[in-house]
Every structure is written in C-alpha cells, then in structure tokens.
Amino acid sequence: MSTWWDRRRSARLAELAYALEFFGAEPVEDPGVGELAHAAEALAKEYRASDRGHAIHRTGELLQQAAAALHTADRLRGTPVPVVNHHLRCAALLLACARACLQGRPAPGAGPGPGAHDGRVPPPSTARHDGNTASHTSGRPARNLPY
C-alpha cells in the first residue's frame, strides 16, 4: 500500500510543479514539497504586490493559501503518506482556483448551489401531483389508489 501512496505523492508533486510554472515559477525537475512551498510563497508575494487589479490580488491570496498547504505537507513528512497527500491535494485545488481566477473563469466546483434549477424543470416543491400525470419511472399514468 505504501508504494502506491509514494507514487501518488511523486505524481502530485510533479503536477504541482507544473501548475506553479503557469504562474511564473521556474521549471523544477525533481521538486520537493518545501521547494514548491517556497516557490508558491514567492509568487504569492509578487501577485499580491501587483497593482494590476482584483483578480491578480485574489490569485496572490490563493497562491498564499496553496503555499500554506505545501508548508503543512512539508512539516508532516514523518506522518503517513496519505496525510501528506491530502495537503498536496488541497494545494493543487487552490492552484486550480487561482488559475481559474486569472483566466476569468469560475473556480472548479463553484457551479450553482445544490438548490439551483436551470428553469427547464420546476423545483420539486412546485410540481403538481394530481394523479393524471405520468409516472417518473415507467412513463405510464399513475394510479389513483384508495388510501
């Protein structure tokens, strides 16, 4: 089991290094967690110091949060690898949100809320059930039962 987690950790580190290159980090061949954390922190400072708009500042904040997640993963080196991978995944999600912020797209997973409807289907609370409508499962008319 440990080998799979180690491979996953290595793959995640390579993904994080590649993601940081989008923001201007130098390419790294064999990245370490601490090295990526310092790169993310340096980029965050640059983005937050910029005067190019709100999206740039928001990206800097997200980069700082990713750096914090990477620093946490670095501090937890002696713990089980799944715990470290959790923090690496958090950093990867924050970098994806930062990239979306820069590109003017909604953040991954930031779609409509759980109760949102697109207008094609009425919400369940407003649907009428009068016994003459088609059953949702079979397409046949629903039966009016005496109870």
Side-chain angles (χ1 to χ4, degrees), residues 58-73:
R58 178 72 181 131
T59 300
E61 292 168 7
L62 290 167
L63 285 168
Q64 184 61 45
Q65 292 174 17
L70 288 167
H71 279 299
T72 301

Side-chain angles (χ1 to χ4, degrees), residues 13-14 17-18 21 25-32 35-36 39:
L13 287 173
Y18 181 74
E21 287 177 26
E26 294 294 321
V28 181
E29 292 243 350
D30 186 22
E35 185 178 10
L36 294 176

Side-chain angles (χ1 to χ4, degrees), residues 11-97:
R12 181 75 69 191
L13 287 173
E15 291 170 10
L16 287 165
Y18 181 74
L20 284 171
E21 287 177 26
F22 173 82
F23 299 101
E26 294 294 321
V28 181
E29 292 243 350
D30 186 22
V33 179
E35 185 178 10
L36 294 176
H38 291 298
E41 193 168 29
L43 287 169
K45 287 179 184 174
E46 290 179 27
Y47 276 77
R48 287 187 303 171
S50 175
D51 61 353
R52 295 177 50 203
H54 177 70
I56 302 294
H57 287 170
R58 178 72 181 131
T59 300
E61 292 168 7
L62 290 167
L63 285 168
Q64 184 61 45
Q65 292 174 17
L70 288 167
H71 279 299
T72 301
D74 190 37
R75 281 194 313 268
L76 297 173
R77 273 186 280 180
T79 61
V81 180
V83 175
V84 174
N85 278 343
H86 168 75
H87 291 284
L88 295 178
R89 180 167 159 59
C90 290
L93 289 172
L94 287 163
L95 290 177
C97 288

